[in-house]
Amino acid sequence: MNFEIDFLVLGSGVAGLSFALKVADYGKVCILTKADAAESSTKYAQGGIAAVMYSPDSYEKHIKDTLIAGAGICDEKAVRITITEGPKRIEELILWGTNFDRKSSGVFDLAKEGGHSEYRILHHQDNTGFEIERALLERAKNHPNITIKEHQYAVDLITQHHLGENVTRHRGDIECYGAYVLNEKDNSIDTYLARFTLIATGGNGNVYSTTTNPIVATGDGQAMVHRAKGKLANMEFVQFHPTSLYNPTEKPSFLISEAMRGAGGVLKTIDGKTFMEKYDERKSLAPRDIVARAIDHEMKINGEDHVYLDCRTIDKSEIMNHFPNIYAKCLEIGVNITKDMIPVVPAAHYSCGGILVDENGKTTINNLYASGECSSTGLHGANRLASNSLLEALVYSNRAAVDCLKKKDSVKINKNIPPWNAEGMVLNEEMVLISQSVKELQQIMSNYVGIVRSELRLNRAFDRLNLIYKETEELYNRSVLIPQLCELRNLIANSYLIIKMAKQRKESVGLHYLAKY
Ligand code: FAD
Ligand code: SIN
């Protein structure tokens, strides 16, 4: 089937929903999402959202902290934009119905996380993302101009390539006309034509075996833009969160929020000794790259599978009020965090790079915007400062909306688009061909392209990935499409981009750490 709309939004997390709410008064919006609408990284965000609210905090302090964490690779303009426009976007979020915790005096109860010099994290207990997703989704569902369609898998962007035209990225003349979308309800491929398309498909944590990301985070947007010949940047900067709950049978890994270290939690080895003082004067509250590497090193020299986070000194009422979900989750596996130390291990958590966008969220492809974790605005540089990502998504979705509305009357829907060609495709009956390749890819990436890398490891990863790539392309070219096959293809594209950019960066910086062997 063919659908025509003004604004096509791929993804229903904070980036997609907030963009939709900003443009919906000016045209028809269709949000497509590949699972249930609420399923997203947004829903699992715990710690909160960083913004300058009161003195003694200031924009300059937040900017400085972000630049320090980014290790010299941040785009300072993007940092200034995000931080100075942040508070306005927070106001809007509250107007849209989001609740943040307040003290009895009425002021916001601000938390602190690694790398922040001030208390500036707005939160809703320890499930801030759930609260934001709830409020935005409710608002979007009630808007007459917004349609949300669940279980619709965006396969590819439509560009001149589908019209057989010869365009190149270098001339800047690639245009996006919408997307081909797999309707999971009947396995058909629909054509969505739009004036503007926003990619808000989130991160790619599932490139790794251990991740805090939900299963929907397979880097689909990044891969679609790569295939459409758009530019991506900084993909090598993959952030591992230092503290996911060590519970090997559970996928995705449950996060133990950094806010627990902000509240006084201390990292310890398996025999109960502190170790962070050996690595950084900020100890357990050093930026994430430093803490994750320190944990990785301690685990390797001690031959252990995890370290501990000791939260026993945190006031019990603080635990119950601020961290009720973490308390309950740990109790489920027999850990009473008021009495026992929490076993923790680093896990892939956030992609700092992604689809290259300008200050208005516009990609290198015309009429195509990207916002949220799939994008690379330049804010995070070589390492994201905790709780800056929800803020970035809100700021850039707003900017993208403003830019689209300015151009709206000059951009027309292209109706001359051929339907998806599925001629001669057969149903793949062996799921193992896909599931085994996903496992192999995740192992390659975790072992060779994880927290510590080396030239040798990167070369090995590249060669092994190439084999999986060839087998998968062959399968893709003869198979009726299913989401699992598309996701495998997208995970391969993301892995390729991570390795390629990691190989190009010859020095250790931020999250890209090269061992000398
Ligand atoms: P998401 O919220 O991930 O949404 C992506 C959407 O795209 C989903 O709806 C998905 O189904 C859909 N989608 C994907 N592919 C397709 C496709 N092919 N077709 C159609 N739909 C598709 N950041 C903070 O700032 N503060 C925090 O406290 C914080 N805590 C976190 C805790 C956890 C456990 C995790 C995993 C992340 C956390 N982050 C935090 C990071 C932050 O949550 C994410 O970066 C942010 O929510 C990303 O929002 P998004 O809208 O870009 O993507
Ligand atoms: C956390 O709560 O530790 C996650 C914060 C983030 O990833 O920004």
Side-chain angles (χ1 to χ4, degrees):
M1 279 177 61
N2 256 25
F3 298 92
E4 289 177 19
I5 49 262
D6 296 305
F7 305 98
L8 176 62
V9 179
L10 306 177
S12 54
V14 60
L17 292 172
S18 61
F19 172 87
L21 287 169
K22 287 310 255 325
V23 293
D25 289 343
Y26 307 93
K28 291 279 173 212
V29 184
C30 180
I31 303 178
L32 301 178
T33 189
K34 72 176 174 182
D36 291 344
E39 192 57 12
S40 57
S41 288
T42 301
K43 174 177 150 188
Y44 297 98
Q46 291 187 355
I49 178 162
V52 175
M53 302 306 288
Y54 312 118
S55 77
D57 200 5
S58 67
Y59 291 150
E60 287 311 314
K61 285 186 187 169
H62 192 180
I63 288 167
K64 189 172 168 203
D65 293 345
T66 303
L67 292 172
I68 290 174
I73 306 278
C74 298
D75 174 348
E76 188 165 342
K77 190 166 177 206
V79 176
R80 288 193 175 272
I81 285 175
T82 310
I83 285 160
T84 55
E85 293 181 14
K88 266 196 233 103
R89 304 284 77 84
I90 299 281
E91 254 174 52
E92 216 156 51
L93 204 52
I94 293 168
L95 272 177
W96 286 336
T98 308
N99 297 302
F100 292 116
D101 290 353
R102 291 174 189 265
K103 293 186 174 166
S104 51
S105 61
V107 299
F108 289 111
D109 177 26
L110 302 176
K112 195 170 183 182
E113 290 175 352
H116 289 274
S117 57
E118 290 289 347
Y119 285 80
R120 63 167 74 99
I121 319 291
L122 290 135
H123 61 93
H124 180 271
Q125 295 183 334
D126 53 358
N127 62 359
T128 311
F130 188 89
E131 171 61 11
I132 293 175
E133 183 71 19
R134 177 204 64 71
L136 293 180
L137 206 47
E138 205 171 295
R139 187 99 183 173
K141 281 182 177 163
N142 285 321
H143 198 293
N145 270 354
I146 300 180
T147 308
I148 303 179
K149 295 188 180 177
E150 299 178 308
H151 300 278
Q152 305 294 322
Y153 186 101
V155 177
D156 262 324
L157 298 167
I158 305 172
T159 64
Q160 292 100 322
H161 301 106
H162 297 97
L163 304 172
E165 290 175 18
N166 186 17
V167 280
T168 64
R169 177 166 94 191
H170 308 295
R171 289 204 303 265
D173 56 359
I174 306 179
E175 288 182 351
C176 177
Y177 306 124
Y180 289 119
V181 177
L182 169 59
N183 181 343
E184 291 185 44
K185 288 171 188 155
D186 62 7
N187 274 343
S188 61
I189 306 268
D190 295 324
T191 307
Y192 283 80
L193 302 176
R195 291 173 199 263
F196 299 99
T197 302
L198 175 84
I199 304 194
T201 46
N204 59 15
N206 285 288
V207 154
Y208 293 91
S209 331
T210 308
T211 178
T212 61
N213 289 192
I215 55 169
V216 292
T218 49
D220 297 350
Q222 293 88 321
M224 281 190 272
V225 169
H226 176 60
R227 284 195 290 272
K229 304 208 177 341
K231 271 194 193 164
L232 290 100
N234 286 358
M235 292 286 286
E236 69 274 35
F237 298 121
V238 179
Q239 184 169 72
F240 283 76
H241 196 291
T243 56
S244 78
L245 181 63
Y246 175 70
N247 187 19
T249 54
E250 186 171 7
K251 262 189 156 192
S253 304
F254 182 79
L255 186 74
I256 304 296
S257 175
E258 191 154 321
M260 294 215 80
R261 276 175 282 138
V266 172
L267 287 162
K268 294 190 172 164
T269 54
I270 217 117
D271 50 2
K273 295 198 179 95
T274 61
F275 58 87
M276 275 310 301
E277 62 280 3
K278 287 192 279 178
Y279 299 89
D280 194 282
E281 61 185 13
R282 291 161 288 186
K283 300 180 190 167
S284 294
L285 271 180
R288 279 188 190 166
D289 56 331
I290 297 170
V291 182
R293 240 176 355 255
I295 296 176
D296 187 62
H297 188 238
E298 288 294 322
M299 281 167 37
K300 289 206 167 103
I301 51 175
N302 295 324
E304 302 292 355
D305 293 334
H306 65 83
V307 294
Y308 281 117
L309 183 66
D310 188 351
C311 296
R312 293 173 297 182
T313 54
I314 305 176
D315 200 63
K316 190 160 181 199
S317 67
E318 167 71 355
I319 297 242
M320 293 314 188
N321 290 328
H322 191 162
F323 305 109
N325 297 296
I326 294 177
Y327 174 80
K329 173 71 198 185
C330 291
L331 210 51
E332 252 176 45
I333 65 157
V335 176
N336 179 341
I337 67 176
T338 63
K339 297 189 182 130
D340 308 315
M341 295 196 286
I342 311 171
V344 291
V345 67
H349 182 61
Y350 185 84
S351 169
C352 293
I355 303 160
L356 183 68
V357 294
D358 67 12
E359 64 194 61
N360 294 316
K362 193 189 153 289
T363 69
T364 50
I365 297 177
N366 295 322
N367 309 328
L368 181 69
Y369 292 75
S371 175
E373 191 167 338
C374 66
S375 70
S376 176
T377 63
L379 169 72
H380 307 304
N383 181 31
R384 176 182 65 115
L385 185 65
S387 288
N388 264 356
S389 44
L390 294 168
L391 192 72
E392 180 195 40
L394 288 172
V395 167
Y396 277 84
S397 284
N398 175 66
R399 286 184 150 250
V402 171
D403 202 54
C404 289
L405 293 177
K406 265 193 222 149
K407 296 178 185 160
K408 182 168 171 276
D409 295 334
S410 60
V411 178
K412 303 276 173 265
I413 291 177
N414 185 341
K415 302 189 184 208
N416 186 28
I417 301 295
W420 180 262
N421 183 2
E423 223 179 351
M425 300 297 173
V426 293
L427 206 58
N428 162 46
E429 278 162 14
E430 285 202 313
M431 279 303 284
V432 68
L433 295 179
I434 298 170
S435 58
Q436 180 58 25
S437 292
V438 171
K439 277 188 215 147
E440 281 176 29
L441 172 143
Q442 290 172 335
Q443 281 187 354
I444 292 167
M445 292 303 287
S446 301
N447 290 322
Y448 296 142
V449 199
I451 295 176
V452 175
R453 300 153 181 188
S454 72
E455 210 176 318
L456 178 71
R457 290 184 198 180
L458 293 175
N459 287 336
R460 277 201 170 193
F462 208 76
D463 292 345
R464 279 156 177 72
L465 187 72
N466 203 15
L467 181 63
I468 302 178
Y469 165 75
K470 283 187 189 144
E471 289 170 355
T472 306
E473 283 306 290
E474 200 264 320
L475 187 64
Y476 179 84
N477 288 330
R478 63 179 157 83
S479 301
V480 169
L481 290 194
I482 53 170
Q484 293 90 330
L485 178 55
C486 297
E487 283 180 346
L488 168 60
R489 213 170 160 239
N490 292 338
L491 288 171
I492 293 170
N494 279 264
S495 304
Y496 164 77
L497 289 164
I498 294 170
I499 300 171
K500 188 179 121 190
M501 294 191 197
K503 276 161 69 80
Q504 282 163 356
R505 198 168 290 281
K506 302 287 180 201
E507 78 290 0
S508 292
V509 55
L511 297 159
H512 175 65
Y513 187 82
L514 275 177
K516 295 266 177 289
Y517 41 82

